[in-house]
Amino acid sequence: MIELFSANTPNGKKISIMLEEIAYEYKVTKVDINNGEQFKEQFKKISPFSKIPVIIDHKNNKTIFESGAILIYLAEQSGKFYNEKDKTEINQWLMAQMGYVGPMLGQHHQFHHYNPGKSKFGEERYFKISERIYQELDERLSKSKFLSGDDYTIADIGTFPWIARHEWHDIGLAKYKSLTRWYNEISKREAVIKGFAFMDKNEVIPKP
Ligand SMILES: N[C@@H](CCC(=O)N[C@@H](CS)C(=O)NCC(=O)O)C(=O)O
């Protein structure tokens, strides 16, 4: 059984979606990151940077932090969504999500959604970068069915929950035809619908 320490955020949703996709039994332990629960000594023991998500795989007695590392671990354990032949390609798109797409859209959330009016520079900078990310993902997906090729992989699972916050981004997902095609296709997956609502059963994936 997998224990998932998480919160209802894009990084949190990546792992619940993956666990649903591979049909693993799991239990969610909520970490209240808005009230500083991530800094408790007990949690720091399993998460050195005091961040969610973290999993404990009780069967293998393993604890893993960092969502990309967790996705790779679960993919390797289950033998799903991380084809040997496409590994390098998948790693590229997954690492780009971890190092660029997620952190930049995360900053855009901070300036544009949570703290508008506090910093014109921050708002403009991360709006522009986010727009660029939409464009770059759209270009990739105009040439490729999924991010790393013909198959749905952990690179898509890692990226999807970030684009699913598109209403916060105010960029206009529908203008990006290939990104929207990809988004709609993933939105229909039963495991994605279920994993997306892992903390709030009534939560639905926003339409483009
Ligand atoms: N690179 C990390 C980022 C995780 C992350 O930023 N988690 C946020 C929520 S989405 C968090 O725990 N924030 C609490 C804090 O930083 O105090 C990952 O992908 O796992």
Side-chain angles (χ1 to χ4, degrees):
M1 202 266 293
I2 304 282
E3 188 167 2
L4 168 62
F5 295 80
S6 197
N8 201 5
T9 70
N11 286 323
K13 285 181 197 292
K14 288 175 194 175
I15 309 306
S16 50
I17 289 172
M18 180 65 175
L19 286 163
E20 292 292 342
E21 288 283 13
I22 60 177
Y24 269 26
E25 196 193 332
Y26 69 103
K27 143 179 166 190
V28 179
T29 299
K30 186 179 172 179
V31 181
D32 187 351
I33 57 172
N34 296 322
N35 282 308
E37 226 174 33
Q38 70 274 33
F39 300 113
K40 285 193 174 159
E41 214 36 57
Q42 202 60 16
F43 187 64
K44 248 203 115 193
K45 280 190 192 144
I46 59 170
S47 183
F49 296 103
S50 294
K51 294 200 184 292
I52 64 93
V54 176
I55 63 165
I56 299 180
D57 181 347
H58 288 287
K59 196 174 101 204
N60 295 332
N61 205 15
K62 269 224 165 310
T63 299
I64 305 125
F65 66 91
E66 273 292 318
S67 61
I70 299 171
L71 287 175
I72 291 173
Y73 175 80
L74 293 172
E76 285 180 337
Q77 287 287 314
S78 63
K80 287 184 174 159
F81 309 118
Y82 197 39
N83 299 335
E84 198 55 49
K85 70 173 176 43
D86 297 328
K87 241 179 196 173
T88 306
E89 199 70 21
I90 298 169
N91 285 345
Q92 286 184 155
W93 289 95
L94 179 65
M95 298 307 145
Q97 187 288 309
M98 295 299 301
Y100 176 50
V101 175
M104 295 300 111
L105 292 178
Q107 291 306 309
H108 183 42
H109 292 176
Q110 287 302 322
F111 287 102
H112 182 81
H113 179 78
Y114 289 116
N115 297 288
K118 284 206 182 143
S119 164
K120 190 164 180 283
F121 172 79
E123 280 183 57
E124 286 179 358
R125 172 175 165 81
Y126 291 105
F127 190 92
K128 258 199 211 135
I129 294 177
S130 302
E131 216 170 23
R132 234 183 93 183
I133 289 173
Y134 272 53
Q135 183 62 40
E136 287 155 349
L137 291 174
D138 191 61
E139 276 166 23
R140 169 60 179 171
L141 291 164
S142 69
K143 298 183 209 114
S144 180
K145 187 164 184 227
F146 291 102
L147 285 172
S148 52
D150 290 338
D151 301 317
Y152 172 69
T153 71
I154 52 173
D156 302 290
I157 294 174
T159 306
F160 176 82
W162 284 97
I163 302 303
R165 279 269 160 96
H166 64 89
E167 290 173 328
W168 290 14
H169 301 157
D170 279 334
I171 290 169
L173 175 57
K175 287 188 292 194
Y176 300 85
K177 298 295 171 219
S178 303
L179 183 58
T180 299
R181 190 250 322 135
W182 169 89
Y183 182 78
N184 284 336
E185 176 137 3
I186 297 174
S187 297
K188 284 190 293 207
R189 295 177 72 90
E190 215 173 292
V192 174
I193 295 169
K194 217 167 154 211
F196 195 83
F198 81 124
M199 281 217 170
D200 171 4
K201 284 197 170 30
N202 298 317
E203 192 174 357
V204 291
I205 299 169
K207 297 251 177 305

